Structures are given as C-alpha cells and as structure tokens.
C-alpha cells in the first residue's frame, strides 16, 4: 500500500485533471452543437435544393411532353393539310384539263366559224363591189332620181355639187327614249342571196363602204356578231387604214348633244365607231340576229340585223377625248 502522501498527491493530480477536463467539456459541447447545427442546416439546404431541382425537372418534363404533343399535333395537321392540298391540286388539275379541252374545242370551232365568216364576207364584198361597178357603169337615166328638197332649184339650174364638207347637215330628228325598240321575230336571211344596196341616198364619203361591210357582217357573222374585234378585221380588209373601236353612251344621261366615251359610264350602251380619212361613222352594236343593243336616239328605224337592207351610219365628231353626235343614222 503506497504511503498516504503519494496517494494524496495522485488524488490531487486526478482531481486537477478531472477539473480541467470538466472545464474543457462546455466548449466542446458548444462546438459540437454548433457543428451539428451547421450540418443540419446544410442538410436542410441540400434537401431544399434537391426538392427544387426535382420540381424543375418535373416541370421541364411536363413542358417537354406538352411541346412534344404540340409538335405531334402540328405534324398531324401538316400531314392532313398536305393530303387535302394534294387532293385539291388533283381536282384542280382535273378541272384545268377539262377546261383546257373545252377551250381547245371552242377555239377550234371559233377558228372554223371565223374561216367560214371570212369566206362569206369576202364573197359578199366581191358581190357588193360587182354591184357597185354595175351601177357605176349603168346610164344615168337608169338610176332612180334622188328626192329633191322643197324649194331646191331644177336639175338644169343646179350648180356643180359642192364638196362633201359643205353638204347641209341632215335635220336632227326627235330623240327617242333609250333602249332598243321591240320588233317581231323575223326569219333567218338567205346568205346566198344577192346583197341589197346598203347605202342610203344621203350617205357620203366613206359611209357607203362602211355601210356595205356592216350590212354583210350583220347578215352573215353569227354567233360572233356582237364582237367588235372580229368586225374590225373585216372592216380593215374592205377599207385599208380604217380603225374600229367600241364607244359608249350613258343610257341614263338625257344631256344634249349625245356624247360617247371610250369607257362605259354608270349605264353604258355600246356602239361601234369606224374612223377613216378624217371621218367618223357610228354604228349600233348587233347582239343577235333579231336584236341591236340600242337604236334610238342615235339611229332611226326598227330593222333587225338579220333583215338589214339599208344602213346609214350616224355622224359624230371628236370633242376632246369624247365624240359628239352630229347627225343620227338610219337602219331599215
């Protein structure tokens, strides 16, 4: 057994060590608690970040799925639209082929009709020229005398005929209401019959030739009788250098004098204007064998294209960019 003094000293050392250890415990506990708290905070932050990342991933997955659905739907719609477009294109190709075939057939028929009309017009023009030559070669006594105006001098006292420009203008006739007068149906003309005299006694200058071509056109040119471009071809063949165009009168206008324009108005009525050598002759537009588009107030008479035996074109003169009716024409 150690001496009491040694044991006391050891106990004293142990007490001191214990006391030192006890003094060191609180800081260690505090440090350990702080460490545990920091680790717990870091763990919570990690869990929050993980939850946020999981939420973002889920939202991104949902957005990706929605985008994929939209792409799939758009692809389906594009495929459906492409199919419909292809079907429409096939139908359009079919209609185009059908219309092309019909147009080619109509064009072929039109060409045949035009060739026939050319031949008919040339024959009628040749017959008219032959009749004109016969009338010119016939004795003066054989020609019917022209009506003499009241108060005019006798034939023996008449001075030499003045130029055409000095001829007194024909008295303006009373204007009739707009519109073509109704006429009873007439039989189709015999295209092989001898053409009658298409020139009225009062016609002068280039009017006889214009009247002759117009009469032949109305008698023979169907079904394109109302097409001014076809009529223009035959006018230029008979009267080289002549120009033909469509002019329009406003059917609602009651202004005097009657005016014509190159463009239609609010209620346009078409006429045909033949210009040659400074003269301007106006003709009514034939619509069919039994109808002119309009006669009054620009034309006297009630004749139909199929029964046209006498033509006197109306006289017009240019006024600016329009034409003014100077003297009405006549059809019979």
């Amino acid at each position: 057994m150690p001496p009491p003094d040694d044991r006391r000293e050891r106990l004293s050392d142990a007490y001191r060590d214990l006391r030192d250890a006890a003094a060191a415990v609180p800081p260690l506990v505090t440090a350990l608690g702080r460490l545990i708290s920091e680790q717990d905070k870091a763990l919570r932050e990690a869990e929050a970040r993980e939850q946020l990342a999981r939420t973002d991933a889920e939202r991104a997955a949902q957005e990706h799925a929605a985008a994929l659905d939209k792409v799939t739907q758009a692809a389906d719609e594009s495929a459906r639209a492409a199919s419909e477009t292809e079907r429409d294109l096939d139908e359009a190709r079919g209609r185009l082929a059908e219309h092309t075939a019909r147009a080619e057939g109509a064009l072929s028929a039109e060409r045949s009709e035009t060739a026939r009309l050319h031949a008919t017009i040339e024959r009628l023009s040749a017959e008219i020229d032959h009749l004109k030559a016969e009338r010119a070669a016939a004795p003066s006594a054989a020609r019917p005398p022209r009506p003499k105006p009241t108060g005019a001098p006798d034939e023996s006292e008449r001075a030499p005929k003045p130029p055409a420009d000095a001829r007194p203008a024909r008295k303006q006739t009373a204007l009739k209401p707009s519109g073509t007068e109704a006429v009873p149906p007439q039989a189709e003309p015999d295209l092989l019959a001898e053409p009658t005299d298409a020139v009225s006694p009062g016609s002068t200058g280039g009017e006889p030739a214009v009247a002759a071509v117009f009469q032949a056109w109305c008698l023979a040119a169907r079904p394109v009788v109302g097409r001014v471009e076809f009529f223009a071809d035959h006018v230029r063949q008979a009267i080289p250098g002549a120009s033909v165009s469509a002019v329009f009168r406003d059917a609602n206008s009651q202004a005097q004098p009657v005016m014509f324009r190159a463009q239609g108005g609010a209620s346009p009525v078409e006429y045909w204007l033949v210009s040659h050598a400074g003269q301007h002759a106006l003709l009514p537009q034939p619509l069919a064998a039994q109808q002119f588009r309009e006669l009054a107030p620009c034309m006297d008479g009630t004749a139909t294209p199929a029964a046209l035996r006498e033509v006197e074109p109306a006289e017009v003169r240019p006024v600016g960019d329009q034409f003014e009716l100077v003297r009405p024409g006549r059809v019979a």
Side-chain angles (χ1 to χ4, degrees):
M1 180 176 179
D5 293 336
D6 292 339
R7 189 172 51 186
R8 188 182 299 116
E9 185 176 353
R10 284 197 298 273
L11 290 174
S12 179
D13 292 337
Y15 175 74
R16 284 195 300 270
D17 292 337
L18 182 62
R19 187 181 57 188
D20 292 338
V25 168
L28 290 175
V29 172
T30 301
L32 181 60
R34 185 168 55 251
L35 179 61
I36 293 173
S37 177
E38 290 176 354
Q39 290 179 350
D40 184 62
K41 181 180 179 181
L43 181 61
R44 286 195 302 271
E45 291 177 351
E47 290 177 350
R49 286 195 297 270
E50 182 180 0
Q51 182 64 29
L52 182 61
R54 187 181 301 109
T55 303
D56 293 341
E58 291 176 355
R59 184 171 59 252
Q62 292 175 357
E63 292 177 353
H64 180 72
L68 184 60
D69 291 340
K70 290 182 179 180
V71 171
T72 304
Q73 183 179 1
D76 294 340
E77 292 178 354
S78 298
R80 184 166 55 253
S83 177
E84 294 176 355
T85 302
E86 186 66 24
R87 184 174 62 254
D88 294 341
L89 186 59
D90 291 340
E91 293 177 356
R93 289 196 188 101
R95 289 194 299 269
L96 178 60
E98 181 180 354
H99 292 167
T100 301
R102 279 204 303 264
E104 290 177 352
L107 182 59
S108 177
E110 189 80 8
R111 287 173 179 166
S112 301
E113 180 68 11
T114 302
R116 186 187 68 80
L117 294 177
H118 272 288
T120 304
I121 291 296
E122 290 175 358
R123 177 179 58 79
L124 293 175
S125 298
E127 293 176 356
I128 291 172
D129 292 340
H130 179 68
L131 291 176
K132 288 181 180 178
E134 288 182 351
R135 287 197 299 272
S140 299
R143 300 180 184 178
R146 292 185 178 180
K148 181 174 66 174
T150 305
D154 294 336
E155 192 71 26
S156 59
E157 300 175 358
R158 185 186 302 176
K161 184 178 180 180
D165 294 341
R167 179 172 61 89
R170 171 181 157 186
K171 183 179 179 181
Q172 184 82 4
T173 58
L175 299 180
K176 300 178 182 179
S178 301
T180 305
E181 298 181 3
V183 296
Q186 301 183 20
E188 292 291 321
D190 184 2
L191 300 183
L192 299 179
E194 291 291 334
T196 60
D197 187 1
V199 184
S200 66
S203 298
T204 61
E207 291 184 0
V210 173
V213 175
F214 185 67
Q215 181 197 23
W217 176 259
C218 289
L219 293 177
R222 291 181 304 276
V224 293
V225 66
R227 302 279 292 277
V228 66
E229 60 271 21
F230 289 96
F231 176 64
D233 292 339
H234 297 290
V235 171
R236 285 189 287 267
Q237 289 180 7
I239 310 174
S243 64
V244 181
S245 61
V247 293
F248 300 88
R249 183 186 79 83
D250 191 343
N252 293 332
S253 175
Q254 300 298 325
Q256 295 296 328
V258 180
M259 303 299 293
F260 300 89
R261 294 180 295 181
Q263 300 294 332
S267 180
V269 180
E270 181 175 340
Y271 285 82
W272 291 350
L273 179 67
V274 181
S275 301
H276 182 254
Q279 296 182 351
H280 305 281
L282 187 76
L283 298 166
Q285 182 196 18
L287 293 182
Q290 302 297 334
Q291 183 183 2
F292 285 106
R293 181 177 291 277
E294 179 185 84
L295 291 176
C298 305
M299 306 293 295
D300 295 333
T302 58
T304 62
L308 189 59
R309 291 296 176 265
E310 187 176 348
V311 184
E312 182 179 350
E315 181 183 351
V316 296
R317 65 180 178 184
V319 178
D321 59 349
Q322 302 185 63
F323 287 88
E324 175 185 340
L325 179 65
V326 176
R327 172 180 55 80
R330 185 167 64 91
V331 294

